[in-house]
């Protein structure tokens, strides 16, 4: 019999979907083919998350740094996002999935912004899985926007600077009202956060897997959940035991 202590299943899993371009290059295909296959991996992962009873799934779809990529690739990525929402939104709604979008929307073109708003409004009352799409998202930018919001309220006399604490900052982040991710997965073998959920990841478990995102499937997802459940999450305390004096 295994002596591994199993944790509770995660409530919130976040994924850095990495490796589309390398997947395509490995097969002698244009990068757009990797992105297109990556959309299929998104669909399969969302279905798997719903099946296992996950409450929150965050997908890092487009970072605030991705605008630096060649214009043609950015255009392809935005086209895939539009196609995903137009094709899949009705299905997500039928499955009782709620869609939320995090990231800076101020400088987005109207067609993209309107699609994101439509996805959120259509699914706002749904109560199963919450699918969080991180689009034009960068964690440092998110924290800076939260700090600026608090600074404006201090200047206006709405709040006192001495009242600003971690909870006050959390309440101004794009993820306000959501639990922090229990598990953050990154595909492609890279082992860094790349400006993703830096504040929210304070006590997250991390799993870096070698698979490129287009190869990520339900089997990989369930294996990740299973591995998470063997982790001992202490949050600064001891391992599920009362501390002994002097230990």
């Amino acid at each position: 019999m295994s002596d591994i202590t199993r944790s509770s299943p995660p409530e919130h899993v976040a994924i850095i979907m990495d490796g589309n371009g390398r997947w395509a290059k490995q097969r002698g295909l244009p990068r757009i083919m990797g992105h297109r296959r990556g959309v299929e991996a998104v669909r399969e992962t969302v279905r798997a998350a719903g099946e296992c009873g996950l409450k929150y799934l965050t997908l890092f779809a487009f970072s605030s740094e991705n605008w630096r990529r060649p214009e043609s690739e950015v255009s392809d990525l935005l086209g895939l996002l539009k196609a995903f929402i137009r094709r899949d939104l009705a299905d997500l709604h039928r499955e009782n999935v709620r869609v939320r979008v995090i990231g800076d929307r101020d400088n987005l073109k109207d067609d993209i912004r309107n699609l994101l708003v439509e996805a959120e409004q259509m699914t706002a009352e749904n109560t199963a899985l919450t699918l969080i799409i991180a689009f034009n998202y960068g964690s440092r930018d998110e924290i800076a926007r939260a700090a600026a919001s608090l600074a404006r309220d201090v200047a206006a006399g709405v709040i006192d600077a001495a009242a600003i604490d971690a909870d006050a900052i959390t309440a101004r982040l794009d993820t306000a009202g959501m639990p922090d991710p229990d598990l953050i997965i990154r595909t492609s073998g890279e082992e860094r956060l790349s400006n993703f959920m830096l504040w929210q990841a304070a006590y997250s478990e991390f799993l870096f897997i070698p698979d490129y995102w287009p190869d990520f499937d339900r089997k990989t997802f369930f294996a990740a959940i299973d591995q998470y459940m063997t982790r001992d999450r202490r949050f600064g305390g001891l391992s599920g035991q009362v501390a002994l004096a002097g230990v």
Side-chain angles (χ1 to χ4, degrees), residues 6-13 52-54 182 225 228-229 233:
R6 296 186 69 79
S7 300
S8 300
E11 182 180 22
H12 183 180
V13 173
C52 75
L54 196 71
D182 301 295
I225 298 298
Y228 165 85
M229 291 175 65
R233 305 188 75 201

Side-chain angles (χ1 to χ4, degrees), residues 58-103:
T58 297
L59 300 177
F60 199 7
F62 192 90
S63 80
S64 52
E65 288 79 29
N66 284 156
W67 298 106
R68 301 171 187 168
R69 294 188 178 188
E71 185 176 346
S72 60
E73 183 170 353
V74 170
S75 179
D76 287 339
L77 288 168
L78 296 182
L80 287 173
L81 174 70
K82 293 177 188 177
F84 175 78
I85 292 178
R86 287 171 179 150
R87 172 179 168 180
D88 292 74
L89 185 56
D91 290 338
L92 293 171
H93 188 39
R94 276 194 297 272
E95 294 297 322
N96 200 25
V97 173
R98 182 187 181 193
V99 177
R100 286 190 60 177
V101 181
I102 61 174

Side-chain angles (χ1 to χ4, degrees), residues 17 19 70-71 78 147 163 168 204-205 208 221-222 231:
M17 305 179 294
E71 185 176 346
L78 296 182
S204 300
E205 296 292 320
F208 302 105
F221 181 78
F222 289 136
R231 305 269 181 101

Side-chain angles (χ1 to χ4, degrees), residues 183 185 207 216 219-229:
L183 173 64
I185 302 168
L207 182 59
F216 193 92
K219 181 179 179 181
T220 313
F221 181 78
F222 289 136
I225 298 298
D226 198 53
Q227 185 173 141
Y228 165 85
M229 291 175 65

Side-chain angles (χ1 to χ4, degrees), residues 42-175:
V42 167
R43 293 189 177 106
E44 185 162 355
T45 301
V46 172
R47 286 192 292 267
E51 289 173 15
C52 75
L54 196 71
K55 293 308 254 180
Y56 296 86
L57 174 67
T58 297
L59 300 177
F60 199 7
F62 192 90
S63 80
S64 52
E65 288 79 29
N66 284 156
W67 298 106
R68 301 171 187 168
R69 294 188 178 188
E71 185 176 346
S72 60
E73 183 170 353
V74 170
S75 179
D76 287 339
L77 288 168
L78 296 182
L80 287 173
L81 174 70
K82 293 177 188 177
F84 175 78
I85 292 178
R86 287 171 179 150
R87 172 179 168 180
D88 292 74
L89 185 56
D91 290 338
L92 293 171
H93 188 39
R94 276 194 297 272
E95 294 297 322
N96 200 25
V97 173
R98 182 187 181 193
V99 177
R100 286 190 60 177
V101 181
I102 61 174
D104 188 3
R105 305 185 196 185
D106 286 348
N107 297 316
L108 296 179
K109 292 183 178 179
D110 288 343
D111 58 340
I112 291 288
R113 186 186 300 109
N114 291 341
L115 272 178
L116 300 179
V117 170
E118 178 188 354
E120 290 185 313
Q121 290 180 345
M122 177 184 289
T123 63
E125 302 303 318
N126 292 344
T127 57
L129 172 72
T130 296
L131 173 62
I132 303 144
I133 300 173
F135 180 80
N136 194 29
Y137 175 85
S139 189
R140 288 181 174 181
D141 172 71
E142 175 191 32
I143 295 167
R145 286 187 283 109
S149 173
L150 288 165
R152 286 191 294 270
D153 280 354
V154 170
V158 176
I159 59 175
D160 190 281
I164 297 176
D165 57 10
D167 289 340
I169 295 171
T170 297
R172 301 295 178 106
L173 297 175
D174 296 348
T175 52

